[in-house]
Amino acid sequence: MKNRTIIITGAGMGLGYAAAKELASKGANLALVDYNEESLSKVKAELNESFPESKIITVVADVSNEEAVKNYVNQTVKAFGKIDGLYNNAGIEGKQASIIDYDINVFKKVIDINLMGVYYGLRYVIPVMQEHGFGRIVNVASVGGIRGVLNQMPYVASKHAVSGMTKNAALEYGKDGILTNAIAPGAILTPMVAEAFKQVNPDDPKAAETEYAQRNPTRRLGQPQEVAKLVSFLLSEDNGYVSGQTIAIDGGESNIY
Ligand code: NAD
C-alpha cells in the first residue's frame, strides 16, 4: 500500500480504527475522518508512533453533512494529490424499537448518516479517482443489509441501501478503473456492538454477548482486525476484478435458516 492514499471515515474507533492500523502497517498514507475530534487525535498519535513511514492527516467531519464531506475530500487531495481508496465506514445503529414505536427523528438520523453519508462519500471521491483512472471503494453494509434484524428497521433499510448503492457504483464506474464493494459484518466486537448488548440486557450485557455468540457457527464474535484484513485486500491492487459485491464477514452466520 506504499504511496497509496486511503480515506477512512469513522476512523476514531471500532472497524475504522482497526483498518487504519492495518493500512498504516502496510505503509499507506491515510486521511482519517470522524466527528469525534478527541478519538481522531488519539488514533493519529498512536499510528504516528507505531508506523512513522505512513503519512496521516485527520479531518473532523460529520459524514451526513455534504459540505463536511466536500471538505474531507479537498483536504485529502491538498495533502496527498490523489485518492486511491475510500473506506466508507462511518455509521450508527440508532435505537432498538419496533416499527410502530420507532422515533422518527432517530430514523431520519440513521438514514442521514448511514445512507446519505455513504452517498456523499461516493459523490465527491469518485471524480478524484476518475482523474487518476484508479480507485478502490469499500462501503460498510451489515448482515442487516442482507437480512432483517428485529427492532432495527432504519438500520436495515440504510444497510440494504448501501448494498444497492455499491452495485450501482460498480456498474457506473468500473470503466474508470474503480472497483466498489461492500462488506457485511456480522457481530464484531466494537464499541457499537458493546452498546447494543447493553440495550438488549442493561443489567448483564456480557450475558447478552455470550448468548449471541452461541448462535454463530464459530461460537464467537468477530474481531475488528479480522474485518480490517478483508478491507485491506479489497482496497488494494491485489483486488483486480471483484466489484459490486456485498461480502459477508460473519463466521457463516447469515447462512443459518
Ligand atoms: P463504532 O460505534 O464502534 O465506531 C464508529 C465510528 O464512527 C466512531 O468513531 C464514531 O465517532 C464515528 N461516526 C459515527 N457517526 C459518524 C458521522 N456521522 N460522521 C463521522 N463519524 C461518525 O462502530 P463500528 O462497530 O466500528 O461500526 C462501523 C461501521 O460498521 C458502521 O457503519 C456499522 O454500521 C458497521 N457494522 C458494524 C458491525 C459490528 O459488528 N461492529 C456489524 C455490521 C456493520
Side-chain angles (χ1 to χ4, degrees):
M1 301 300 270
K2 286 220 166 60
N3 295 320
R4 290 291 181 199
T5 299
I6 312 283
I7 295 175
I8 302 175
T9 69
M13 62 175 84
L15 299 186
Y17 165 60
K21 265 207 292 203
E22 179 69 21
L23 293 163
S25 79
K26 293 184 168 164
N29 296 327
L30 302 177
L32 306 180
V33 176
D34 205 291
Y35 60 14
N36 185 331
E37 189 168 6
E38 200 187 324
S39 55
L40 264 189
S41 309
K42 273 194 207 149
V43 172
K44 182 175 191 291
E46 187 197 315
L47 296 183
N48 280 341
E49 177 149 357
S50 306
F51 309 108
E53 70 286 2
S54 163
K55 293 189 199 77
I56 295 172
I57 63 162
T58 57
V59 188
V60 178
D62 180 339
V63 299
S64 66
N65 177 326
E66 188 177 354
E67 290 306 313
V69 173
K70 281 188 202 168
N71 182 50
Y72 81 58
V73 172
N74 289 338
Q75 295 296 325
T76 308
V77 173
K78 203 168 140 199
F80 300 116
K82 61 174 181 156
I83 301 170
D84 300 297
L86 169 65
Y87 187 26
N88 224 341
N89 159 74
I92 59 167
E93 188 189 72
K95 295 287 169 202
Q96 300 196 13
S98 66
I99 292 169
I100 58 177
D101 291 328
Y102 214 96
D103 181 321
I104 300 277
N105 289 322
V106 177
F107 197 116
K108 287 182 176 165
K109 192 172 172 196
V110 172
I111 297 296
D112 268 352
I113 294 177
N114 294 5
L115 194 162
M116 294 310 295
V118 166
Y119 170 64
Y120 294 141
L122 295 171
R123 182 176 177 112
Y124 294 106
V125 167
I126 285 173
V128 181
M129 290 177 165
Q130 279 179 308
E131 277 174 35
H132 296 271
F134 178 89
R136 297 286 181 271
I137 299 172
V138 177
N139 299 321
V140 180
S142 165
V143 165
I146 300 173
R147 306 171 69 117
V149 182
L150 278 178
N151 296 324
Q152 293 190 35
M153 198 220 230
Y155 187 76
V156 166
S158 69
K159 295 301 188 178
H160 275 72
V162 168
S163 181
M165 290 191 288
T166 298
K167 290 174 188 166
N168 254 62
L171 290 186
E172 293 179 32
Y173 301 104
K175 65 181 182 347
D176 301 317
I178 301 171
L179 304 182
T180 305
N181 291 287
I183 57 163
I188 313 294
L189 202 47
T190 64
M192 174 192 273
V193 166
E195 179 55 35
F197 288 131
K198 273 190 216 156
Q199 288 192 48
V200 172
N201 187 346
D203 298 328
D204 193 355
K206 192 74 199 163
E209 181 188 322
T210 307
E211 190 193 329
Y212 193 89
Q214 287 315 304
R215 290 186 230 159
N216 192 283
T218 64
R219 304 290 185 269
R220 67 174 180 88
L221 303 187
Q223 294 297 326
Q225 313 84 271
E226 293 172 316
V227 178
K229 300 266 183 210
L230 172 62
V231 170
S232 171
F233 165 72
L234 291 170
L235 288 173
S236 74
E237 273 168 281
D238 284 348
N239 173 24
Y241 209 49
V242 181
S243 196
Q245 303 306 308
T246 297
I247 300 167
I249 173 158
D250 65 352
E253 191 175 350
S254 53
N255 295 301
I256 297 172
Y257 174 69

